[in-house]
Amino acid sequence: MFRILGLNLSNTTAPKINIAVRAYCAIKQNDEPIDIPNPFEKEKKLCILCKNDISPDYKNVKLLSQFQSPYTGRIYGRHITGLCKQKQEEVEIAIARAQRCALMPTYYKDIDFLQDPKLFEPEKPTRPHKY
């Protein structure tokens, strides 16, 4: 006695086995994998400028001063600001251009912008630095 898909096939003959095999094949065709999202996939992080669709401009000194150290005038790196590579390069180019046009100081942060709200915490980098 054979049992295939809940069918008892005693005294089997060719037509009964053929029907059972066809039923099994029909079930297998409908048993395709289901597309589900990966539950372990991390959300894609967007930098603050990409999230708000802001493009840095050399004339927007108030925004650019957020990415400059108040004591040395040094431009903060990506691991501190959390910007994507493209926006970080745009910010660096815009700061250099604003400094050449004398809109921003080079060795310190403008006193008018010291009390501005911070976009990031320089003492707590978003990613650890290799040094």
Side-chain angles (χ1 to χ4, degrees):
M1 175 166 40
F2 295 103
R3 187 174 197 101
I4 299 175
L5 298 173
L7 300 173
N8 284 332
L9 300 175
S10 57
N11 301 329
T12 59
T13 59
K16 286 184 181 176
I17 292 176
N18 233 359
I19 292 171
V21 169
R22 284 185 188 154
Y24 178 74
C25 290
I27 290 172
K28 270 303 208 186
Q29 289 174 353
N30 295 334
D31 191 29
E32 295 178 0
I34 301 170
D35 289 334
I36 59 172
N38 185 356
F40 302 106
E41 187 175 0
K42 294 181 180 178
E43 284 187 34
K44 186 175 181 182
K45 291 184 180 180
L46 291 174
C47 72
I48 192 164
L49 297 181
C50 290
K51 192 185 310 180
N52 296 321
D53 196 29
I54 298 172
S55 60
D57 187 27
Y58 76 98
K59 294 174 275 187
N60 190 354
V61 180
K62 192 167 188 168
L63 172 70
L64 296 177
S65 68
Q66 297 291 314
F67 301 101
Q68 187 180 27
S69 171
Y71 307 111
T72 61
R74 185 171 175 261
I75 301 170
Y76 289 121
R78 280 182 59 207
H79 69 282
I80 296 174
T81 61
L83 295 178
C84 62
K85 189 174 184 179
Q86 178 185 4
K87 292 294 182 182
Q88 179 71 24
E89 288 176 3
E90 289 179 14
V91 164
E92 290 173 1
I93 291 169
I95 288 175
R97 188 171 180 192
Q99 288 172 346
R100 282 195 307 270
C101 293
L103 297 174
M104 288 179 71
T106 54
Y107 292 110
Y108 59 90
K109 190 172 182 176
D110 196 2
I111 298 170
D112 298 336
F113 303 129
L114 288 177
Q115 301 300 323
D116 286 347
K118 296 185 178 183
L119 300 176
F120 53 88
E121 191 62 41
E123 288 80 27
K124 297 179 182 175
T126 57
R127 293 187 309 265
H129 195 264
K130 60 184 177 182
Y131 298 120

